[in-house]
Amino acid sequence: MSKRILVIEDDPDLGRLLEIHLRDAGWDVDQASDGQEGLSRALGGGHDLVVLDLALPGLGGLEICRQLRERPVWVPIFMLTARSAEIDRVLGLETGADDYLTKPFSVRELVARVRAIFRRVEATTGALSTSKTVTSGELTIDGEKRRILLSGEPVELTAREFDLLRHFAQHPGRVYTRAELLDAVWGYGHDGYSHTVNSHINRLRAKIEDDPSKPRYVLTVWGVGYKFCDSAERK
C-alpha cells in the first residue's frame, strides 16, 4: 500500500514542487496551505508522514507539532524552516519533529530523508513485533505506546530521543559508533553531523539519569562511541 503524506506549506510554488517529487517517488500527497487547515487534516488521521513548514499563517508549525505529539497515535513529522539559528532547530526537535531541513534545500535530499524515515519506521515496527517492552533497572521502555517510565513516572522524550533510547535498550552491551547510530536511528548517512548524536545523548541523559555526569544507562566507550549498560554493569 502506498504511503500517504500530508504537506502543510503556505508557499504554493514550493508546495506544488514537493507534491510533484513526492508523487514521483511513489507516495500519495495531500496539501494544506495554512496552519489550522493543516492541523485539522493531520488530526483526521490516515497519513504516514507530515511535512510541516515552521512559519504558517493561522497556526505555527511548532504549535501543530505540539498538538500532534499530544495525540496517542504517533505519526512522523518532517519540519521545514527558513530559520537557520540553532535554537529554532532545537525547538523543532524538542517539540517532537523527527527531522528537519532549512530552506533553501534540495528536494532530492528531502525525498531521501523521507525514505529514510519510512525505512526506520518499518524496521522499528518489525523489532516491536518481538519485543514491545524493554525493562532495565528502574527504566521501562514501552515501544507500543512509545512511553518511557523511570521509577514508575513518565519521562517526556522527543521522537528521536525515544528511538535512540529504544535502539540502545534492545541491544544492551553492544558498542555503537556515532556513524552506526546515525544509520540505525536517523536512517541515513549524515556526513559531518556526528555531533548530532552527542547532543541527543546529552539531552537523553539529562532526562533519564540521576547524575548525567555519571550515567547508569547510556555509557560512553572512549574512542569508540556509546552503549547501553547490561545487567552486569548496572550500578
Side-chain angles (χ1 to χ4, degrees):
M1 182 180 295
S2 176
K3 300 291 187 184
R4 189 177 173 201
I5 298 174
L6 173 62
V7 176
I8 308 176
E9 169 60 59
D10 64 320
D11 182 332
D13 293 332
L14 178 57
R16 179 59 180 164
L17 182 66
L18 291 173
E19 181 177 1
I20 290 172
H21 283 269
L22 293 171
R23 287 190 184 279
D24 285 347
W27 302 309
D28 296 329
V29 180
D30 295 327
Q31 288 263 9
S33 59
D34 66 71
Q36 198 59 56
E37 178 192 6
L39 178 61
S40 177
R41 291 198 178 194
L43 292 176
H47 296 99
D48 299 289
L49 181 137
V50 176
V51 177
L52 175 63
D53 192 9
L54 187 63
L56 291 165
L59 192 66
L62 287 177
E63 181 58 28
I64 293 173
C65 193
R66 287 191 187 96
Q67 292 198 36
L68 291 179
R69 285 295 173 253
E70 290 174 355
R71 306 283 290 187
V73 178
W74 179 84
V75 61
I77 298 172
F78 194 111
M79 190 167 283
L80 305 178
T81 172
R83 308 173 187 178
S84 58
E86 179 71 19
I87 186 62
D88 293 311
R89 298 198 294 271
V90 170
L91 276 174
L93 295 173
E94 289 286 354
T95 306
D98 295 85
D99 204 349
Y100 72 91
L101 275 175
T102 302
K103 299 176 184 178
F105 56 81
S106 162
V107 178
R108 290 180 62 185
E109 181 178 2
L110 181 141
V111 171
R113 292 197 185 192
V114 168
R115 288 189 191 279
I117 290 175
F118 285 147
R119 286 198 304 270
R120 180 160 50 84
V121 169
E122 290 169 1
T124 298
T125 301
L128 288 178
S129 65
T130 57
S131 179
K132 293 183 179 180
T133 301
V134 177
T135 300
S136 178
E138 300 163 348
L139 190 66
T140 299
I141 304 165
D142 186 335
E144 188 173 31
K145 296 180 180 178
R146 295 186 65 87
R147 181 176 63 175
I148 302 294
L149 298 176
L150 184 62
S151 299
E153 296 296 322
V155 179
E156 294 297 326
L157 299 183
T158 68
R160 189 57 54 80
E161 289 165 356
F162 180 90
D163 290 339
L164 180 62
L165 178 60
R166 179 173 54 189
H167 181 75
F168 271 129
Q170 287 175 336
H171 305 89
R174 177 174 174 178
V175 180
Y176 288 93
T177 67
R178 291 166 181 80
E180 288 172 334
L181 289 171
L182 284 168
D183 184 62
V185 178
W186 277 253
Y188 54 88
H190 209 121
D191 294 340
Y193 282 83
S194 61
H195 68 276
T196 299
V197 175
N198 298 345
S199 62
H200 275 77
I201 285 178
N202 288 339
R203 290 198 293 269
L204 182 58
R205 282 173 171 168
K207 295 178 180 181
I208 67 170
E209 303 284 3
D210 293 332
D211 182 355
S213 66
K214 298 177 181 178
R216 301 169 56 207
Y217 296 106
V218 180
L219 309 178
T220 300
V221 181
W222 296 106
V224 184
Y226 301 96
K227 69 177 180 179
F228 194 82
C229 71
D230 57 29
S231 57
E233 294 173 302
R234 193 174 305 118
K235 300 176 183 178

